[in-house]
Amino acid sequence: MNFERLTAVGVAALATVFLVAVLAAGGAAGTDVTLTVSVVDQDGDPTGNVEVIATWEAEDDETRTATGTTASNGKVFLDVPENATVDLDIDDDTYIRNRPLTVEGASESDVELAVSRSGTATVSVVDTEDRPQADARVQIRDGSRTVDSGRTDDSGAFASSRLERGTYTVRVVKPGFFEATQEVTVSREADASVEIERGTVVLDLRVFDDHFDPPEEIETGAIRVESSVYNAEVTITEGDVSLNVPVNVDYSVDVVKDGYDAGAERISVGESAVSANVTAQRTSTLSVTPGNERVLVGETTRVTVRNAYDEPVEGATVEVDGTEVGETDDGGELAVAIDAAGEREVVATDGDVTSEPVVIVGVDEDGDANETDDANGTNDSDETDDAGETDDGSPGFGVAAAIAALLGAAAVGVKRVRGAA
């Protein structure tokens, strides 16, 4: 055997090994199988010239399809991935399926795909006085499964999509009306009328402040109830509210009371009486209470920060004249130093809530609450000139001295009168 022949044999052997390795490693995962699909009508007869669509999800999460048209014997061959989950449906002007046929773990096999002639139904919804009802929700159901749904138009009508011909249950619901159901036969072009009746049920509400544990009743105020068909504001009586409301409605309910946030809650009312709890909390506020409203300069006073429930707030930030001076302790308190005479504005903040400012007056040892001049320590408002006169030119005794002088003169006069007597 010469060298060239040995080389050829070696190449062939390597190619064979490579092919076997590929098939063993991953070739099976990409193997296609053929589904032999037989399309039959409602009588079981084969149906030709119908386009069949196979759909599956590939390994790359992309949706793949294969299509084919049935022959006169109703059969079509579709290649799909082995072991894939495949949905089979049709696209045809005469025949239809309400939902695809699912084939689990596809393999070389025969599959029967039943189809039906298509039809439609137009459902007209009226009330007990034969008035058309727009925006009513219509469901066409096959057993427990909804095959089509939508809402009535301004004329009270809903036109279905194409469906398999047969008998269905039509369910109609509209806020303020009792639910109505009726059997409807879908034919080539069917028409049906469904009547719905207005109705109300009792809605009982109990009102609580859930800031507390357990929640405490809110005994006064009002409850606001709103929806697309009903709106009312009802007074709370000893924590309770009872009212008649339209059926099959979702309501927005909130507490209306001074000092409380209007936080709406959603309550769904069907066709039976409903009892529900409504909760609310006071609007978040902070208040600052100083231990003293007048404080000697250089001394401290304790301020207390409380929330809307008059509870001490721990960790609230306290500022004096815009400068942070500390945080409150677990009793809601902080010692605040007053380092200058005059009005000092104190504000507390907790999260997004800031208190109204309060004023603490710094007072000098001589009782003066006015701020002093840094240069000479004198009071700007009482400053005198070199001649001893005040800014307005009057003698520099001041008001108090003048009053004392008058009282002294009066006393001397009285003494003289007594001496003369």
Side-chain angles (χ1 to χ4, degrees):
M1 182 178 295
N2 59 34
F3 178 77
E4 292 180 353
R5 180 175 177 80
L6 285 173
T7 302
V9 170
V11 170
L14 287 173
T16 301
V17 171
F18 178 77
L19 180 59
V20 170
V22 168
L23 290 174
T31 300
D32 283 347
V33 295
T34 300
L35 296 179
T36 302
V37 182
S38 297
V39 177
V40 297
D41 64 16
Q42 58 269 32
D43 298 322
D45 296 329
T47 305
N49 201 33
V50 172
E51 183 179 9
V52 180
I53 305 169
T55 306
W56 66 90
E57 188 174 287
E59 291 182 357
D60 58 3
D61 294 330
E62 294 291 329
T63 299
R64 301 281 192 268
T65 61
T67 62
T69 302
T70 59
S72 58
N73 63 357
K75 293 186 178 183
V76 63
F77 303 102
L78 298 175
D79 291 334
V80 300
E82 186 175 20
N83 295 321
T85 298
V86 180
D87 287 336
L88 297 176
D89 207 347
I90 66 168
D91 183 9
D92 191 75
D93 293 335
T94 303
Y95 295 95
I96 198 167
R97 284 186 59 87
N98 285 342
R99 59 175 177 173
L101 172 67
T102 300
V103 177
E104 301 281 357
S107 61
E108 295 276 349
S109 58
D110 295 332
V111 179
E112 183 176 278
L113 185 64
V115 296
S116 173
R117 288 187 177 274
S118 65
T120 60
T122 299
V123 179
S124 298
V125 179
V126 297
D127 63 14
T128 53
E129 297 180 5
D130 204 34
R131 293 176 298 197
Q133 292 298 311
D135 203 35
R137 182 165 181 79
V138 178
Q139 291 180 317
I140 300 179
R141 301 173 65 84
D142 182 7
S144 61
R145 185 170 57 90
T146 299
V147 296
D148 197 12
S149 64
R151 295 186 178 276
T152 55
D153 58 21
D154 291 341
S155 66
F158 164 73
S160 76
S161 56
R162 294 171 62 222
L163 301 170
E164 297 176 11
R165 296 184 188 183
T167 301
Y168 297 87
T169 299
V170 173
R171 175 178 178 264
V172 178
V173 178
K174 182 177 179 179
F177 293 81
F178 289 114
E179 176 185 319
T181 58
Q182 183 174 309
E183 283 194 350
V184 172
T185 299
V186 174
S187 58
R188 187 170 180 273
E189 292 180 351
D191 291 307
S193 179
V194 179
E195 182 181 273
I196 55 177
E197 179 183 359
R198 294 184 184 275
T200 61
V201 293
V202 175
L203 174 60
D204 288 321
L205 302 173
R206 297 191 68 195
V207 190
F208 293 94
D209 186 330
D210 61 353
H211 170 80
F212 303 100
D213 186 16
E216 296 183 1
E217 284 189 347
I218 299 176
E219 297 186 344
T220 60
I223 287 289
R224 182 166 48 231
V225 180
E226 297 180 325
S227 73
S228 59
V229 297
Y230 177 89
N231 296 284
E233 189 168 304
V234 184
T235 301
I236 299 170
T237 304
E238 296 181 353
D240 295 322
V241 169
S242 183
L243 59 165
N244 287 315
V245 296
V247 298
N248 293 318
V249 178
D250 291 332
Y251 292 94
S252 173
V253 180
D254 59 90
V255 176
V256 181
K257 183 177 174 66
D258 288 342
Y260 278 79
D261 283 331
E265 297 185 29
R266 182 185 177 92
I267 296 178
S268 295
V269 174
E271 297 183 3
S272 301
V274 174
S275 296
N277 294 336
V278 181
T279 59
Q281 291 190 11
R282 293 178 184 173
T283 304
S284 295
T285 60
L286 292 178
S287 63
V288 177
T289 304
N292 304 92
E293 295 182 354
R294 295 171 65 84
V295 180
L296 283 174
V297 174
E299 300 293 331
T300 62
T301 185
R302 297 193 73 79
V303 297
T304 303
V305 179
R306 296 180 178 275
N307 62 18
Y309 292 89
D310 201 32
E311 300 166 336
V313 177
E314 180 181 2
T317 300
V318 177
E319 295 181 356
V320 176
D321 291 338
T323 301
E324 182 178 329
V325 296
E327 293 185 354
T328 54
D329 59 20
D330 57 3
E333 295 184 340
L334 176 69
V336 174
I338 302 301
D339 55 6
E343 294 184 348
R344 296 290 172 257
E345 191 174 85
V346 182
V347 172
T349 302
D350 184 35
D352 296 330
V353 183
T354 301
S355 71
E356 291 294 326
V358 297
V359 173
I360 298 176
V361 179
V363 181
D364 287 334
E365 290 184 357
D366 59 2
D368 194 345
N370 294 310
E371 296 198 49
T372 57
D373 184 271
D374 291 338
N376 55 27
T378 59
N379 189 295
D380 292 339
S381 61
D382 292 335
E383 192 171 343
T384 58
D385 59 22
D386 292 339
E389 293 184 348
T390 61
D391 291 339
D392 61 2
S394 60
F397 295 107
V399 175
I403 293 174
L406 290 173
L407 291 175
V412 171
V414 171
K415 184 174 181 179
R416 289 177 178 175
V417 170
R418 287 180 178 173

